[in-house]
Amino acid sequence: MAGLTSSTIGRKYAMALSAMFLLIFLILHLTTNLLSVLNKDAFNTASDFMGYNPFVQFLMQPILGFAVIFHFVMGFVLEIKNNKARPVKYESNNPSMNSSWMSRNMIISGAVVLAFLALHLYDFWLHEINYKYVEGISPDAERFWPELHEKFADLWRVALYVISFVLLGLHLAHGFQSSFQSVGARHPKYTPVIKAVGKWYSILIPAGFIFIAIFHFITQ
């Protein structure tokens, strides 16, 4: 890990690997949450398994937490170092002609997504910690769907989730392709495929989460 983070190239490579891990997690997370729309019992069963399985709770969850923190820390570190490397802006520089707005403002969208994650952890993860380890309430496999449904009773919360997932989509639109480029996937044969997959990924994943939030709001 020290070798990966000791150089700019190494940091970009490590950040790309953490991004790929998070991309896979988003697919799994969306799949599980879509069950809350399709079948209450299936969602309760899946959530109960994820919530009490030792492998998920004590191995995969810490790994996920580390990946999230590492990814965002590396993003801020790379942004700071890039700014230091170019302390003087060229007078003739025209960023809009050379790159997209999203690629130039990944740090902003990343910060907003990080703030959203804090809200998300407060809504669900802290609740689980309190339920299982603070209050020590007996397991109830039927509680997960009602708890999720109740969270989206307020319009302001749904609006925050929608805005956050739109910004996540913008972040993914550039981050998906960038992560593959950082690990060397720049072959002319594969680049168009990566761009196409990244485009649809950045649309469908946020749209799926937005659909779930709106569904639970309108079915109160």
Side-chain angles (χ1 to χ4, degrees):
M1 182 60 69
L4 278 176
T5 59
S6 61
S7 67
T8 299
I9 294 177
R11 283 187 287 269
K12 288 183 177 181
Y13 195 90
M15 186 176 178
L17 292 178
S18 66
M20 291 178 175
F21 176 80
L22 295 175
L23 290 172
I24 295 173
F25 165 75
L26 282 174
I27 295 175
L28 296 175
H29 194 48
L30 176 60
T31 301
T32 301
N33 281 277
L34 278 174
L35 291 175
S36 70
V37 174
L38 302 174
N39 188 291
K40 294 181 183 180
D41 292 335
F43 176 75
N44 283 329
T45 299
S47 298
D48 185 65
F49 172 80
M50 300 290 284
Y52 290 95
N53 183 277
F55 175 78
V56 174
Q57 288 295 301
F58 303 115
L59 179 61
M60 296 309 300
Q61 188 167 265
I63 291 175
L64 174 62
F66 172 79
V68 171
I69 294 172
F70 180 85
H71 183 74
F72 281 101
V73 169
M74 278 294 101
F76 288 117
V77 169
L78 286 169
E79 180 71 12
I80 291 171
K81 289 188 174 294
N82 287 339
N83 288 336
K84 286 183 177 180
R86 294 188 296 271
V88 178
K89 304 296 183 182
Y90 293 105
E91 292 183 3
S92 60
N93 183 36
N94 189 353
S96 62
M97 295 295 293
N98 301 316
S99 59
S100 67
W101 182 91
M102 198 63 253
S103 65
R104 301 192 307 273
N105 294 278
M106 288 292 283
I107 196 71
I108 296 176
S109 62
V112 174
V113 172
L114 185 60
F116 162 72
L117 281 176
L119 171 64
H120 193 61
L121 289 174
Y122 174 79
D123 280 345
F124 295 99
W125 186 75
L126 286 182
H127 169 75
E128 285 296 300
I129 295 298
N130 181 67
Y131 185 98
K132 291 186 287 189
Y133 304 116
V134 178
E135 297 185 13
I137 302 175
S138 299
D140 178 9
E142 303 298 321
R143 68 182 173 90
F144 297 98
W145 192 93
E147 289 175 353
L148 175 65
H149 188 68
E150 183 182 357
K151 287 297 182 182
F152 296 106
D154 298 320
L155 180 60
W156 68 267
R157 189 183 299 275
V158 175
L160 280 178
Y161 269 72
V162 170
I163 293 171
S164 299
F165 280 120
V166 169
L167 287 170
L168 174 64
L170 293 174
H171 192 79
L172 292 171
H174 175 73
F176 188 99
Q177 181 183 346
S178 178
S179 63
F180 281 91
Q181 288 181 342
S182 295
V183 297
R186 300 186 180 185
H187 194 282
K189 181 179 179 180
Y190 305 117
T191 298
V193 176
I194 293 173
K195 284 184 177 180
V197 173
K199 177 182 178 180
W200 283 108
Y201 183 98
S202 64
I203 293 173
L204 294 177
I205 295 295
F209 283 113
I210 290 172
F211 170 72
I212 292 169
I214 294 176
F215 170 85
H216 285 283
F217 174 72
I218 65 177
T219 57
Q220 292 293 322

